[in-house]
Amino acid sequence: MALEATVGDDGMIYIRETRRPDVVAVTTPAKWEAFVKGVKAGEFDHFATEAETDTDAESDTDPGEGAGAGRATETG
């Protein structure tokens, strides 16, 4: 899974997951910047650790799934 983010003509940030490109979240530049700073600071790392633990426990889960498998990319 990967996230795609772009700035729209209206200045808002549009975010979607590559596996579900029809579902788009919209946020403000200030909120996006705060989120990116939080990611870089490791504020969400515990979610990845929890997801990896859950994934290890479930043998039928696709190894590409889970919060720890994703990567955020900025486009646009």
Side-chain angles (χ1 to χ4, degrees):
M1 175 192 78
L3 294 178
E4 298 176 329
T6 190
V7 179
D9 293 337
D10 58 358
M12 298 295 283
I13 309 298
Y14 292 80
I15 308 159
R16 68 182 184 178
E17 188 179 328
T18 54
R19 288 186 173 209
R20 296 189 58 201
D22 55 318
V23 178
V24 179
V26 183
T27 191
T28 65
K31 288 181 180 180
W32 177 251
E33 185 177 330
F35 171 73
V36 171
K37 285 181 180 179
V39 169
K40 289 180 179 180
E43 291 180 23
F44 307 106
D45 289 354
H46 65 282
F47 289 114
T49 302
E50 291 170 9
E52 289 170 2
T53 301
D54 292 343
T55 301
D56 291 342
E58 299 175 16
S59 61
D60 62 339
T61 302
D62 180 346
E65 297 282 331
R71 13 174 238 287
T73 58
E74 294 184 50
T75 61

